[in-house]
Amino acid sequence: MKVLMVITSHDTLGNTGRKTGFWLEELAAPYYVFKDSGAEITLASPKGGRPPLDPKSNEPEFRTELTRRFEKDAAAEAQLDKTVRLDSVRQEDFDSVFYPGGHGPMWDLAEDKHSIKLIESFLAAGKPIAVVCHSTGALRHVKTPDGRVFVEGKEVTGFTDGEEEAVGLTKVVPFLVEDEMLKLGAVFSKKANWTSHVVTDGLLTTGQNPSSSGPAANVLLAEIAEHRKATAPAKS
């Protein structure tokens, strides 16, 4: 099983003068769901190389057993140092793609033409995908093979307006994930702030917030297994 994980390359939090990037738990938790299942993982980012870590995600209150495991894992850190460029990856080489969040994706992955085409190619191939937290915003320009807005009519979740308000960034981010999904015609599902919540609709699995990233990866693993079973050649 081969899983691609797409990480933001954006490190500036709007005009605040603060840094952002990917959220460590949202990389580490899914990474070990995939790794511990025996999957081969490829890490990619728009610019390649070491992607920026949101420094807040490494503060003591946000560290977890899995973020600590990642930091002590020389192989994982070496992989993170050398993410491949997003424009060099092909859907045909993977069973699925997972997008960790953090605020960074709101600026780059949401608008990145290579990311948009990549997601569209997975969907056209009938392969399951997952996005969590702010990376739900990476779906905003994605179209179906027949040119419709992909999320229209779909049940999705992502970082909520309430959660964005709680971290004081509603006026900083380029758009609000919840509002954008509703504007595009999605059915937005949410639970109380910081509650783990995962939704699957067709090929798409979405997670609400950092604590949803590991559970979303587990759901995606099950979806990949189902897809592989359904597309396996019949035994004679």
Side-chain angles (χ1 to χ4, degrees):
M1 192 183 292
K2 295 185 177 181
V3 179
L4 176 65
M5 297 185 77
V6 177
I7 307 165
T8 182
S9 289
H10 184 85
D11 69 352
T12 309
L13 191 59
N15 56 7
T16 62
R18 285 149 54 196
K19 291 294 184 187
T20 189
F22 70 90
W23 197 262
L24 185 54
E25 181 182 3
E26 294 178 42
L27 171 63
Y31 183 90
Y32 287 113
V33 167
F34 301 136
K35 185 173 182 178
D36 293 347
S37 75
E40 185 181 315
I41 304 163
T42 298
L43 303 182
S45 63
K47 293 180 180 175
R50 181 90 181 184
L53 171 70
D54 185 321
K56 196 162 184 62
S57 72
N58 209 14
E59 290 178 359
E61 65 188 294
F62 299 117
R63 289 166 65 83
T64 68
E65 182 188 331
L66 292 173
T67 65
R68 287 188 283 271
R69 179 180 170 190
F70 193 95
E71 289 176 324
K72 291 175 187 166
D73 185 335
E77 283 288 343
Q79 242 187 315
L80 190 60
D81 260 341
K82 295 182 176 147
T83 67
V84 300
R85 279 179 60 103
L86 191 55
D87 59 9
S88 74
V89 297
R90 295 163 3 109
Q91 162 271 126
E92 292 85 352
D93 298 330
F94 301 96
D95 293 295
S96 185
V97 63
F98 186 101
Y99 278 63
H103 280 87
M106 303 281 283
W107 280 273
D108 64 352
L109 294 175
E111 308 300 327
D112 188 287
K113 64 179 193 286
H114 300 295
S115 175
I116 295 160
K117 282 182 182 168
L118 184 71
I119 293 172
E120 289 175 345
S121 68
F122 273 94
L123 298 169
K127 293 178 180 178
I129 69 167
V131 298
V132 293
C133 202
H134 288 93
S135 276
T136 297
L139 302 173
R140 73 190 300 215
H141 297 304
V142 173
K143 299 281 183 20
T144 62
D146 60 1
R148 290 179 299 109
V149 173
F150 170 61
V151 297
E152 187 177 353
K154 284 210 168 294
E155 187 179 6
V156 303
T157 189
F159 206 62
T160 67
D161 289 0
E163 287 167 329
E164 202 67 82
E165 195 174 330
V167 298
L169 294 173
T170 54
K171 300 283 194 286
V172 173
V173 290
F175 61 92
L176 295 170
V177 173
E178 180 179 342
D179 287 1
E180 183 70 8
M181 290 298 111
L182 290 169
K183 191 172 90 179
L184 292 169
V187 178
F188 195 85
S189 171
K190 62 181 176 178
K191 289 194 174 174
N193 289 1
W194 322 121
T195 304
S196 178
H197 181 46
V198 177
V199 171
T200 297
D201 190 334
L203 294 170
L204 175 66
T205 294
T206 50
Q208 181 173 318
N209 46 34
S211 66
S212 311
S213 55
N218 277 306
V219 171
L220 183 62
L221 264 190
E223 295 287 316
I224 296 169
E226 279 299 308
H227 177 260
R228 285 162 68 95
K229 198 165 138 190
T231 55
K235 290 179 181 172
S236 53

